[in-house]
Every structure is written in C-alpha cells, then in structure tokens.
Amino acid sequence: MRDVTQFDDLARTTPTRELFIVEGDSAARAVTRLRDPESQAVLAMQGKPLNAHRAALKKVRENHYFNALSESLGLPPGTQDVSHRRIETIILLMDPDADGIHCSVLMLGFFLRWMPKLLECHAVHMIRPPLFEITACSHRDEVIYANSEAQQKRITEAFQNAGVDHKSRRFRGLAGIPDDVLRETCIDPRTRASEVYSREDAEYAISFFK
C-alpha cells in the first residue's frame, strides 16, 4: 500500500516537491497528517524492500514497491536523465532503530545502482527522527532531542555532571512521536535537520552491509 498525494497537481502548482519514504502504514499516516499537501507526498514501505543494489533490472522493474517509487518519481529504473523527475527532493525518514537503518541503506543501494544521478544532483536526503526527548526540569523550555542511545547517554551525563535535574522519554517509532515534535524535527523544512547523501555516502553506507 502507498499514499502518494496528487502528483499531477503538485507538478503544476508548486516549485519544490518532496517525497517522504517511510516504513509502513502507521508512519505514513503520521507523516501524511502533518505534511503540506501542496508540496509533500508520502510513500510507505511494506516491510524491508528488495535489495535492488544486487538485483537484476528485470527483477527491480517487476517489484511492486520499486515500481510504485518509479511511478511517483516519473523515472524508470536505470534512467540516466533525472532532470524531468516529478519530485525535486526524496527524503528517507525511517524509524530510529536497526530496521530503519537497514531500510535506509537498502534505499540508498537502489538509488546508487539504478538512479545514481539523483545522488549526484543532491536530491536524496535523510532525516534522523528523534529517539529520545530530554528535558531539563528546572528549565521547562530546554528540550534536547537525541536520535541514538549513545547521544542520549552523552546528554544525560552532561546534565548530571552539571547538577541539572532532568527527565527523558523514549519514542517508539514515527507513529509514537507527538505531532508537534514530529512536525518540527522531521517534516517542516524551516525547522528540520536533514543530511544530503552523495554517491560516496551511499557507497560508504552500503559497505557495512556487504
């Protein structure tokens, strides 16, 4: 199943179009509820996708998910001309866990093998959603987000060393992140932080899964 919003209308009316690639229907519903329908669309995975980096072109073209992705982008797998794509920016927005990391790498493998020009023109971005919210109890407006257990540990240790009382809560996937936090950290282009992935970045990420 996928949720791709009115691409023809987007192509006619908006200068910048974004496609969020997420894991599953729950994440898709959360992002769809908050996204700007005029410029942002959502495509949901159903489980881990095919390892397209190693698959033959025929198998990739016959794959339901990658067929839906290609249709959304307006680009067939293997294309060398991405200038006419329907979407300017593809955003990988996965759950901050091991499965999410693996899904992101599989997607990078697809782009590296079958649409490398998207990486070369800086069209593939990644957003790391928060895994933890740490709040300084004496300063209610001081909230820090961490996207890994290691980062959360560093932040809480810093608070402890400074003698600052704090509390921490863990989010369970995109669907478990409160709407205001999800919008601010992952969806709104004015406040979110994203990483642009190059061919070299994709190759480096894939090397860990060989």
Side-chain angles (χ1 to χ4, degrees):
M1 295 295 292
R2 60 194 178 101
D3 181 3
V4 181
T5 59
Q6 302 173 0
F7 282 97
D8 292 336
D9 290 341
L10 291 177
R12 288 194 297 268
T13 62
T14 60
T16 301
R17 301 174 300 272
E18 300 180 334
L19 174 65
F20 289 95
I21 298 177
V22 301
E23 297 175 76
D25 293 335
S26 295
R29 284 193 294 270
V31 175
T32 299
R33 185 171 63 247
L34 302 172
R35 59 97 170 93
D36 178 358
E38 295 298 319
S39 61
Q40 296 174 321
V42 182
L43 177 62
M45 293 180 179
Q46 298 298 323
K48 289 183 181 178
L50 169 76
N51 187 342
H53 188 254
R54 296 182 177 180
L57 179 57
K58 182 177 184 293
K59 192 170 183 179
V60 173
R61 286 179 171 171
E62 291 174 348
N63 181 268
H64 175 75
Y65 172 72
F66 287 116
N67 185 52
L69 175 59
S70 297
E71 179 185 338
S72 302
L73 298 176
L75 300 173
T79 184
Q80 294 300 310
D81 180 10
V82 299
S83 61
H84 59 286
R85 66 187 185 275
R86 305 170 79 182
I87 298 293
E88 276 80 24
T89 305
I90 301 101
I91 300 171
L92 305 181
L93 178 57
M94 310 298 178
D95 288 342
D97 56 23
D99 284 342
I101 293 171
H102 194 198
C103 285
S104 294
V105 172
L106 290 171
M107 289 306 307
L108 290 172
F110 167 79
F111 291 121
L112 182 63
R113 177 79 184 277
W114 302 113
M115 296 183 183
K117 295 296 183 181
L118 289 175
L119 292 163
E120 292 175 10
C121 71
H122 311 298
V124 180
H125 296 198
M126 187 179 297
I127 293 177
R128 301 181 187 278
L131 183 60
F132 293 94
E133 178 186 76
I134 305 100
T135 305
C137 298
S138 57
H139 304 82
R140 293 290 182 178
D141 58 345
E142 186 175 350
V143 178
I144 302 175
Y145 299 108
N147 55 32
S148 70
E149 292 184 352
Q151 186 180 22
Q152 186 257 359
K153 182 178 179 180
R154 290 194 298 270
I155 294 169
T156 55
E157 287 179 348
F159 277 139
Q160 290 168 356
N161 293 336
V164 176
D165 290 336
H166 60 279
K167 60 182 180 180
S168 179
R169 64 170 170 169
R170 181 175 184 141
F171 301 128
R172 300 294 178 183
L174 288 183
I177 300 176
D179 284 357
D180 59 334
V181 176
L182 184 60
R183 182 185 291 108
E184 176 188 352
T185 60
C186 300
I187 298 175
D188 190 337
R190 298 169 298 179
T191 56
R192 74 192 185 201
S194 63
E195 302 173 54
V196 180
Y197 269 65
S198 65
R199 288 188 65 145
E200 292 75 18
D201 293 329
E203 289 169 352
Y204 181 73
I206 291 167
S207 69
F208 285 94
F209 286 85
K210 288 185 177 179

